[in-house]
Amino acid sequence: SADWLLDNLGDPKIRVFEVSVEPGVYERGHIPGAVNINWHTDLVDPVRRDIASQDNWEALLSRAGITPDTTVVLYGDHNNWFAAWGAWIFKYYGHADVRLLDGGRNLWERQNRELSSRPARHAASQYRVAEVNRELRARLSDVLQVVEGEHQAKLLDIRSPAEFEGRIFAPQGVQELAIRAGHIPGAKNVPWGSVVREDGTFKSADELRAIYEQEQGLKPGDDVITYCRIGERSSHTWFVLHYLLGYDKVRNYDGSWTEWGNAVRLPIERDTQ
């Protein structure tokens, strides 16, 4: 919560990271001591269209001055879209204690909490990844096995209904990256925005269970694969299912629709007339 973070900002065992979409917001003002992560360069390999390599990830966290024992708190704009993606990558590379600031940057600003324009400076460390948790990531081949009936898993498309139905390729103002519109066969549509309140904070556990379990029929023991357009919004749903509802088998398909919608000979479904 924002109250907890405010009370613990001076703790050297805690490091805050901002992962925002809009350029310049970190420079305009950020939570004091927060380290800026640029998702365009720090979270991805822009040449391979992949997540950041282990070497680059270790270098980034070494510059931020953290150790594997550091409590990591992430926040960002757009109700933590890319902060959740950052949390997923932290967990993929085995970091133990990773948290999201409930409500993200927008709530912190609305509550008129302190912001600093001073760049964060922390003594460098020698961060090393101990173990990669590959069970958190779904690949195209994993999703294809589900579609072809070779593996039992639930596919959750967390994009807007218009994207899911194939009426649009991407949210308004966002670059189109796929040549086909629609969704992966068998996927259920649970838009990510349905799990947050108007102020961006997460809904209660009971409200979340009603959405996923009563409306969609999910069970805590299910194998679930989340996807969106490029993997950031689906990371938000991965966080909700795994950390807020305790689902053990949740994987994020970060290739998402950008990969599936462009691949040759892969089936798609559309709901448009």
Side-chain angles (χ1 to χ4, degrees), residues 38-188:
N38 187 325
W39 78 268
H40 288 282
T41 55
D42 294 329
L43 296 183
V44 303
D45 182 325
V47 176
R48 291 172 54 90
R49 172 59 173 95
D50 201 351
I51 63 171
S53 69
Q54 182 172 325
D55 287 345
N56 288 345
W57 185 248
E58 290 174 340
L60 171 69
L61 300 192
S62 295
R63 292 193 300 272
I66 74 169
T67 73
D69 295 326
T70 301
T71 294
V72 168
V73 179
L74 300 109
Y75 75 97
D77 57 8
H78 289 263
N79 292 334
N80 284 333
W81 276 7
F82 282 89
W85 196 22
W88 173 70
I89 295 177
F90 263 102
K91 296 304 294 183
Y92 178 80
Y93 280 125
H95 198 86
D97 193 350
V98 182
R99 313 181 187 195
L100 283 183
L101 173 61
D102 197 16
R105 181 185 176 98
N106 293 343
L107 182 65
W108 188 273
E109 287 184 318
R110 279 199 297 271
Q111 293 178 344
N112 294 315
R113 297 179 185 266
E114 182 182 1
L115 293 173
S116 172
S117 59
R118 297 175 59 187
R121 291 184 174 87
H122 302 286
S125 62
Q126 291 292 321
Y127 189 98
R128 292 293 179 266
V129 171
E131 184 177 3
V132 178
N133 189 355
R134 292 181 173 83
E135 295 301 314
L136 299 183
R137 190 181 194 187
R139 306 281 188 155
L140 185 149
S141 57
D142 300 320
V143 180
L144 186 58
Q145 285 182 336
V146 176
V147 172
E148 294 183 340
E150 298 175 10
H151 180 77
Q152 294 297 314
K154 303 293 179 63
L155 300 175
L156 284 188
D157 185 320
I158 63 71
R159 299 174 297 164
S160 67
E163 292 172 90
F164 179 82
E165 294 165 6
R167 291 185 280 118
I168 63 174
F169 285 84
Q172 185 176 4
V174 175
Q175 180 183 2
E176 296 178 2
L177 297 177
I179 61 173
R180 300 185 296 171
H183 60 266
I184 298 173
K188 293 185 176 182

Side-chain angles (χ1 to χ4, degrees), residues 209-221:
R209 290 190 189 96
I211 293 169
Y212 292 111
E213 297 174 8
Q214 296 176 24
E215 296 177 14
Q216 301 297 335
L218 293 185
K219 300 182 293 295

Side-chain angles (χ1 to χ4, degrees), residues 5-24:
L5 182 57
L6 189 62
D7 289 341
N8 288 275
L9 274 182
D11 190 333
K13 297 179 181 179
I14 296 172
R15 182 75 77 245
V16 182
F17 292 84
E18 175 165 345
V19 193
S20 288
V21 182
E22 300 297 332

